[in-house]
Amino acid sequence: MDIHRLSLSDVTRHAKSGALSAGRVVETMLERIARLDLEFGAYVLVLAEHALERAHDLDAAMSRGEAPGPLQGAPIALKDLLCTRGIATSCGTKVLENWTPDEDATVVQRLEAAGAVVLGKVKLTEGAFSEHHPSVQPPINPWRPDRWTGVSSSGSGVALAAGLVHGAIGTDTGGSIRFPCAACGLVGIKPTYGRVSRHGVFPLAESLDHVGPMTRTVEDAARMLGAMAGRDPRDATSLDAPVPMYPASIGARIDDVRIGVDWDYVSEDVHGAVVDTVRDALTVLTDLGADVIEVRMPDYRMLADNWVITCGMDCARAHAATYPARKDEYGPALAGLIETGLSVPPGEYERLEQERSRFRTAFEELLGGVDALIAPCMPTPVPGAERSPPTDDRGPRERFIRFTAPFDYSGHPSITLPLDIDADGMPRAFQLIGRHLGEAGLVGIGGAFEGAAAFEYPTLD
């Protein structure tokens, strides 16, 4: 049995049945990390001793007759901006490289309470912005080493695509769950803002940050989200709403589902191959019985064009204790973002908050007539590794984040899904955006699509 090829859900099922012990799973995965991560560079820190002890504790509890958790024995990786008690949390920076929090993030507590095993912490761009700190060697995309891995959850994406873990945590402020999932051929859920607690997650921009699961299957993402979601009194923005049994949505028919598409939004100044991806994904969905409804996307341009203002001001507040006091320890991209935030004229932030409210309301009205909106994740196929999107040759950051940033402002959930492999050997992917707290519906559509598309991951030794 190739344990690394199993889905997270299958690992959990085997662990619950006794066919696999958590100890054997963890030992196998740690051996694989030791053998392959020198090539891919996904991990900042491998917590071998911690993971083995945790796995043996889970096995001992089962031998005593204790009920297993919903993520029993599932190996996961944490983006290194989630606080871990007594374990360094660098946030991809030099300025925080020796920070050891005194408690775990709520997400970490909940995943471990569900039976997950943390194998280690994975790389991210500096402070979760657009580039890795100059001192950090970026991870390598397992599909093609000359291609981008996405920001900022690059380590999460690479670890999953290389089979070095079964589930990982990403955060999304301007696209950083959706970009690495698209670049690495993964499933990712950016939940509704507040659906998952941000307590103990070092912020890039608190008003935009979302925490969500990244996995290789829809069921895996649904299982992880179910463990992570729910009200947390330590996060004032977390939502007090029931948490559905997300995996139960998988297997439902989607012949009454309405998928909205705005072809102008999808195609204006967008690479033809990306437009074809959306068309091909819609073909799969219509073959499953879904109806396609043409809609008009609310004006999003002001939000995409000025995302750096909101992000910069929020980021400057998050780094006030160390910037500018330790400015020389910052890389140029994150320092530039903070400087932008510090230089914003009075009233600009509030103006964008008003635009956020307008867009949120208008988009929710659009979703009154459809169950989800389909859109690309980015306007180009996966860029080259030498780039540091969100930028590309044909336009600035604002163009690149048009399909991601507006929904971070509005807080609507989305699911990223891989379709197939293009002629260059890279994944083709797209996203579905759903209603406020509509993750269960996205899981249902995503599960049906996944079964029909039958996406396959690269074969690695």
Side-chain angles (χ1 to χ4, degrees):
M1 181 185 297
D2 289 332
I3 289 174
H4 72 278
R5 295 184 184 276
L6 296 174
S7 70
L8 177 147
S9 299
D10 282 341
V11 167
T12 296
R13 281 188 278 267
H14 286 312
K16 289 180 178 180
S17 72
L20 278 176
S21 68
R24 179 186 169 194
V25 170
V26 169
E27 288 169 1
T28 300
M29 294 304 295
L30 289 174
E31 183 278 330
R32 183 173 174 81
I33 292 168
R35 182 162 50 87
L36 292 179
D37 197 48
L38 287 175
E39 175 183 356
F40 296 113
Y43 281 85
V44 175
L45 184 63
V46 178
L47 302 173
E49 185 177 340
H50 172 90
L52 286 168
E53 181 179 353
R54 167 78 173 147
H56 294 149
D57 286 347
L58 289 169
D59 290 336
M62 277 196 63
S63 70
R64 294 192 298 268
E66 296 181 18
L71 295 178
Q72 183 75 11
I76 64 169
L78 304 177
K79 185 174 180 177
D80 194 26
L81 48 53
L82 277 79
C83 290
T84 41
R85 183 169 59 89
I87 298 170
T89 302
S90 73
C91 307
T93 72
K94 293 296 288 182
V95 74
L96 294 172
E97 66 180 341
N98 296 316
W99 179 40
T100 53
D102 57 9
E103 68 172 339
D104 290 328
T106 297
V107 166
V108 177
Q109 294 175 12
R110 289 179 174 176
L111 289 168
E112 289 197 326
V117 180
V118 176
L119 297 185
K121 307 191 79 173
V122 286
K123 291 178 183 175
L124 67 153
T125 51
E126 185 185 13
F129 188 46
S130 64
E131 296 181 11
H132 290 272
H133 189 278
S135 66
V136 174
Q137 181 65 38
I140 303 299
N141 196 317
W143 293 92
R144 281 185 54 171
D146 62 343
R147 295 301 176 93
W148 189 45
T149 58
V151 291
S152 62
S153 308
S154 54
S156 297
V158 169
L160 284 161
L164 303 179
V165 77
H166 292 75
I169 301 301
T171 61
D172 196 306
T173 307
S176 297
I177 288 174
R178 288 161 288 176
F179 291 146
C181 283
C184 297
L186 304 169
V187 175
I189 297 177
K190 180 193 81 71
T192 303
Y193 183 80
R195 174 79 282 189
V196 174
S197 172
R198 292 181 297 103
H199 176 75
V201 182
F202 193 87
L204 171 56
E206 285 197 293
S207 72
L208 298 168
D209 291 347
H210 299 65
V211 183
M214 296 169 57
T215 62
R216 296 198 296 265
T217 75
V218 173
E219 183 185 7
D220 293 353
R223 282 178 178 266
M224 287 186 68
L225 181 61
M228 296 160 61
R231 170 72 176 152
D232 179 9
R234 296 175 297 178
D235 176 2
T237 64
S238 69
L239 300 174
D240 188 6
V243 178
M245 294 290 292
Y246 294 114
S249 299
I250 297 172
R253 294 177 61 87
I254 66 165
D255 47 11
D256 59 348
V257 165
R258 298 159 299 170
I259 306 296
V261 61
D262 181 338
W263 286 114
D264 289 339
Y265 181 51
V266 166
S267 62
E268 183 180 354
D269 198 25
V270 174
H271 195 289
V274 175
V275 181
D276 288 344
T277 297
V278 173
R279 293 189 187 279
D280 292 345
L282 283 174
T283 297
V284 175
L285 290 165
T286 54
D287 286 347
L288 290 167
D291 292 324
V292 176
I293 310 294
E294 293 200 22
V295 298
R296 177 62 62 187
M297 178 74 173
D299 188 4
Y300 62 90
R301 291 174 178 81
M302 182 176 174
L303 296 177
D305 290 351
N306 294 282
W307 173 87
V308 70
I309 292 176
T310 300
C311 187
M313 290 189 71
D314 283 1
C315 186
R317 286 190 284 268
H319 288 263
T322 54
Y323 194 98
R326 298 169 63 183
K327 181 177 179 179
D328 60 339
E329 298 176 62
Y330 281 75
L334 185 58
L337 176 67
I338 295 172
E339 290 289 349
T340 295
L342 293 172
S343 65
V344 173
E348 283 297 294
Y349 190 93
E350 289 73 17
R351 182 171 69 97
L352 285 168
E353 287 302 287
Q354 292 173 5
E355 184 67 10
R356 181 205 296 259
S357 179
R358 181 206 62 79
F359 178 81
R360 181 191 294 122
T361 299
F363 189 68
E364 196 67 20
E365 289 175 359
L366 181 156
L367 290 172
V370 296
D371 297 291
L373 178 79
I374 192 170
C377 295
M378 49 193 174
T380 69
V382 181
E386 74 278 4
R387 307 180 189 221
S388 53
T391 63
D392 71 5
D393 289 343
R394 296 169 51 187
R397 174 188 298 115
E398 292 78 8
R399 174 179 176 270
F400 206 90
I401 63 175
R402 72 170 79 176
F403 299 119
T404 53
F407 309 112
D408 285 311
Y409 270 109
S410 71
H412 285 88
S414 74
I415 186 168
T416 299
L417 298 164
L419 170 63
D420 58 16
I421 308 303
D422 68 17
D424 288 332
M426 292 302 296
R428 294 200 297 163
F430 66 99
Q431 65 172 322
L432 296 168
I433 305 100
R435 300 186 186 109
H436 182 79
L437 290 175
E439 291 86 356
L442 295 177
V443 165
I445 301 169
F449 177 88
E450 179 180 70
F455 182 80
E456 294 185 4
Y457 289 91
T459 300
L460 299 171
D461 291 337

